[in-house]
Amino acid sequence: MAEIGKRKLDSGWLAARSTEIELTGVQLTTTHPPSGPSAPWMEAEVPGTVLGTLLKNKLVPDPFYGLNNEAILDIADSGREYYTFWFFTTFDCQMSGNQHVNLNFRAINYSAELYLNGHKEILPKGMFRRHSLDITDILHPDGKNLLAVLVHPPDHPGSIPPEGGQGGDHEIGKDVAAQYVEGWDWMTPIRDRNTGIWDEVSISITGPVKITDPHLVSSFFDGYRRVYLHSTVELENRSSWNADCTLTLQVTTELEESVCLVEHVQTEKLSIPPGTVLQHTLLPAFFYKPNLWWPNGMGKQSLYNVVIAIDVNGFGESDSWSHHFGFRKIESVIDTTTGGRLFKVNGQPVFIRGGNWILSDGLLRLSKKRYMTDIKFHADMNFNMMRCWGGGLAERPEFYHYCDIYGLLVWQEFWITGDCDGRGIPVSNPNGPLDHDLFMFCARDTVKLLRNHASLALWVGGNEQIPPEDINAALKNDLQLHPLFRTEIPNSEEDLVSKSKDPSQYLDGTRVYVQGSMWDGFADGKGDFTDGPYEIQNPEDFFKDDYYKYGFNPEVGSVGIPVAATIRATMPPEGWEMPLFKKLSNGYIEEVPNPMWDYHKYIPYSKPGKVHDQIEMYGHPKNLDDFCEKAQLVNYVQYRALLEGWTSRMWTKYTGVLIWKTQNPWTGLRGQFYDHLHDQTAGFYGCRCAAEPVHVQLNLASYFIEVVNTTSDELTDVAVEVSVWDLDGSCPYYKVTEKISVPGKKVLPVIEMNYPKSKNAKPVYFLLLKLFRLSDNAVLSRNFYWLYLPGNDYKMLELYREKKIPLKITSEVLVSGSSYKIQMHVQNLSKSSHSTNIGFKKMESEKYVDDYYVNLADANQEIIPGNGQTSLLSKIYRGLLSRSSNSPKVLETNGADSGVAFFLHFSVHAAKKDTKNEVDTRILPVHYSDNYFSLIPGETLPITILFDVPEGITPRVVLNGWSYHEEQSIL
């Protein structure tokens, strides 16, 4: 008897262009199967796309490198047949009587013909739908099975006008498919339009009764002390006899040493007639004060393992299903004070600070490991929401799994964009996709796929457009809220439950549906173009009353050039030229990028007529390295100011903001906090600083120091230390405020920063703010600024590069397998006439241990934070201790100057013999507890670095900084 459960078919695939295969699908899966990867057959990327397969076999150049994409034939010129491919594999499966087997495709783009052992099935159209076929009767008796799938591209792949544009000629909008593939102002076209078997393929073996699409819903009473878990499941009896069954629901959480605590178990008896499908709703399961799931920055992301199993009398276990479930309630209303959309989780308002997400990779290489890094990066920036933009994907369950773990709320849009569905040049199809029934089938199937994830917060009809009237009406109807989850709830909730349909019987019923990204509490709420802007801004403008009128901005974007190493790694030498700086008659500078930067959608650091070039403010860059280093200074300042400006008006003017965008699905040069290679920009750390749950900041418009408390608890017994540092290393201004208290969910102006008004104020100076607890001097928030007086610029910092500030770096290395954890203390050894009194005692030291165990774990292993630390954490931590270095390593840099050690940043590299500049030695990704930081005289900062190394590679950690021009090797 074959083992009950699912088995992925993710290896051993072959592919070939359909025009090069003369055999039929029947022949391929009976008498003439391919024998291996010999022409025209090649090793295939499954899950993946045709273009990914061609790249894997080096039949096309890397489309993300330089101008290579221009050398790849576009489907508009080649015809659809050129990207119509056969995919072939074999699999073993031999079952016994009363067992049944399904072949499952979680997504194919766009349609397909399937052949299994000579039998043919047509897989219908639609990029966002699952296909599940009962193959029990066509499996080969000896267990050896041949599978061939002929995959066709989208019906309307469109063409790319010479001027490019948002979604090319918009033809892709006629299909139910991702629309970004025809190119956008941040993306070049994907030549095959993502044709392929792009998501998981599996076989699932069950007994006579199969479980499909359980729906889990939690309802809350008595101030979240009494909780019920509602569950509805579809059961299909595929046998020819009446199945007497026992249905079991079990809820557990993992404790130490792989011990699972059973929180609840219940069984129910039922009988299912032959050949029928039964929707069964279990009795609600009761929990008293379960651990709740909270968004990032508000509490723990407690998750329970829910298992639903079906046993059939005379057979045994027939099928089972499991999911990691978080008890939480999400509410979303339009705030009466600001007009912005307000989110509440477990009754607590959430001030949204997050970003727009397209997808992880433009060739749909969507591994769990990459998803884990992507989403952890967002959590590391202290973000609490990600918006899955309507021109991209219905994101995959693995994406949501890590959002559940890291506490990222998700706004999920359906596949409508204004550019491809009603406007644009040329004007696109005003009625959305051609097949509305197909759209709704895909939408409903997507809801079923994703609805059990705690992180999923909102359904939205489309980007900058609402769906066609009939689709919009259907979505509103299908996604209507259950009475328990509506804003107006009667006094007697128990009475409401007894008289209402069980909430798990709804398609969803727990989350709001909003018809478009600029409607109903977003932007002006009416669909007018009131999101944005998308260019460089004067940092102080983010704090001004007239910067943005509306309560919730779903898109505001800016710059995002990566580090110079990424430019060199993703472009040939002709792309290494920095922009030309063209002086205009009005005194502003226009940046003129080289053609390769232009192709990669570079966005400049100046806005002639409004914003002076922010890189030139630091002095004219000498070369690419200098340009990118100064750009990182701007990135940090720009995005910290953006988030601090919004946070300054928390609840009084704003309910949230989403930055356009956090990353690029290719090697783009705009709007990103980390590049496609997973190296972070300094903007990453500007966001990390600004979005702290408890934060001290300088209002750049009023010059008042503010304390932000986004938590629910009052902040008491705290004070702010303010110190100003000149470029000569002196401290001309020092102050500690009186004891203050900051209520929960409030921003408190504390004191005006008067140094710029003093007689002897220097043109350029540093400012350090520390919010600390008076009882033990523990620092709750630290924020470092470089500033200039009105009418000045940062050019004096150019001379500061000659400073030699001594540092002491103490590091300890912990190793487990290929994973490294480096704990450092970085100290500025220079002396000053004034040293601050507040030492750095980071409150969240345990967080980095948690981060490390998640980073170490195999991305295919399920990681669930429960009531306590998991056994995985304890095992890894013991491993770390057993393999730690014998004694800390100490490195001291020479220098006789006093002053701030400015803009220090670490990077991790492979130890190398070849020292050519074009060789990229970086090890990526790396998780830093902080980077791009500065230290005042005498100050020490703890830094934790986490990374995995490829096999056979010895890592080295390098320090650079504003006045540290030669690499300092730490490890």
Side-chain angles (χ1 to χ4, degrees), residues 14-72:
L14 301 173
R17 184 169 280 113
S18 63
T19 54
E20 299 177 7
I21 300 296
E22 296 180 356
L23 299 169
T24 67
V26 172
Q27 291 172 315
L28 288 173
T29 57
T30 53
T31 58
H32 293 78
S35 58
S38 58
W41 292 96
M42 64 193 85
E43 292 184 1
E45 194 76 21
V46 176
T49 65
V50 168
L51 197 59
T53 288
L54 294 173
L55 179 61
K56 178 187 180 81
N57 291 275
K58 300 182 180 179
L59 296 174
V60 295
D62 183 352
F64 295 170
Y65 183 84
L67 300 178
N68 281 353
N69 196 50
E70 290 296 285
I72 301 174

Side-chain angles (χ1 to χ4, degrees), residues 195-206:
T195 300
I197 305 172
W198 68 277
D199 199 6
E200 178 186 283
V201 185
S202 67
I203 57 171
S204 53
I205 301 171
T206 71

Side-chain angles (χ1 to χ4, degrees), residues 300-441:
K300 291 184 177 180
Q301 290 74 52
S302 298
L303 294 170
Y304 293 80
N305 192 32
V306 177
V307 177
I308 297 175
I310 185 86
D311 277 51
V312 177
N313 290 357
F315 179 85
E317 183 179 272
S318 181
D319 199 5
S320 67
W321 175 91
S322 65
H323 201 279
H324 301 121
F325 184 75
F327 289 101
R328 63 97 185 92
K329 182 178 182 180
I330 289 180
E331 300 168 271
S332 175
V333 297
I334 298 177
D335 179 48
T336 55
T337 301
T338 64
R341 184 155 287 273
L342 171 64
F343 290 86
K344 288 184 178 181
V345 176
N346 304 329
Q348 296 294 331
V350 184
F351 187 70
I352 298 297
R353 292 175 292 187
N356 285 266
W357 167 270
I358 314 302
L359 67 158
S360 182
D361 176 72
L363 299 187
L364 302 187
R365 295 166 289 191
L366 306 179
S367 70
K368 291 189 75 172
K369 183 176 182 181
R370 186 173 182 93
Y371 270 140
M372 182 177 72
T373 298
D374 283 325
I375 293 158
K376 185 181 186 305
F377 275 179
H378 285 74
D380 286 348
M381 285 188 283
N382 290 310
F383 283 174
N384 54 25
M385 178 174 276
M386 298 169 72
R387 173 195 172 207
C388 293
W389 174 74
L393 301 183
E395 265 302 353
R396 303 296 88 196
E398 292 80 7
F399 170 92
Y400 277 92
H401 171 71
Y402 289 110
C403 287
D404 290 346
I405 285 176
Y406 289 115
L408 275 300
L409 297 169
V410 184
W411 152 344
Q412 179 68 61
E413 275 174 18
F414 295 106
W415 319 284
I416 296 287
T417 66
D419 298 277
C420 291
D421 298 287
R423 57 176 172 80
I425 303 174
V427 175
S428 54
N429 180 21
N431 200 31
L434 297 181
D435 190 337
H436 290 197
D437 290 339
L438 173 60
F439 185 97
M440 284 307 305
F441 183 93

Side-chain angles (χ1 to χ4, degrees), residues 353 539 542-543 618 632-648 659 673 682-692 695-698 700 767-769 782-787 794 902-903 932 934:
R353 292 175 292 187
F542 291 115
F543 294 84
Y618 294 91
Q632 300 315 313
L633 289 163
V634 182
N635 290 342
Y636 193 105
V637 170
Q638 181 79 176
Y639 287 109
R640 177 177 59 181
L642 189 160
L643 285 180
E644 288 183 341
W646 246 271
T647 305
S648 181
I659 298 173
F673 299 126
F684 183 105
Y685 295 95
C687 287
R688 183 184 179 97
C689 172
E692 293 176 305
H695 182 61
V696 60
Q697 65 184 39
L698 176 67
L700 295 179
L767 170 68
L768 178 63
L769 304 178
R782 176 188 182 276
N783 201 348
F784 181 88
Y785 295 84
W786 50 101
L787 300 163
Y794 290 120
F902 183 53
F903 215 54
Y932 294 97
S934 303

Side-chain angles (χ1 to χ4, degrees), residues 62 64-67 370 377 560-577 594 596-597 600 602 605 624-629 631-632 635 663-670 672-682 905-909 916-926 928 932 967:
D62 183 352
F64 295 170
Y65 183 84
L67 300 178
R370 186 173 182 93
F377 275 179
I561 195 80
V563 298
T566 292
I567 301 293
R568 293 192 175 95
T570 57
M571 295 180 185
E574 54 266 35
W576 300 355
E577 295 296 324
N594 69 63
M596 211 165 287
W597 283 31
H600 285 254
Y602 173 74
Y605 283 71
L624 176 66
D625 292 278
D626 194 26
F627 180 92
C628 289
E629 179 80 356
Q632 300 315 313
N635 290 342
Q663 45 72 248
N664 279 297
W666 78 304
T667 50
L669 299 180
R670 72 192 309 168
Q672 60 190 348
F673 299 126
Y674 60 91
D675 58 45
H676 191 256
L677 305 181
H678 273 154
D679 202 355
Q680 302 133 338
T681 74
H905 45 97
F906 290 104
S907 55
V908 181
H909 298 257
K916 294 179 182 178
N917 286 335
E918 62 265 28
V919 175
D920 186 11
T921 62
R922 288 172 299 169
I923 293 174
L924 298 169
V926 182
Y928 302 90
Y932 294 97
E967 295 180 347

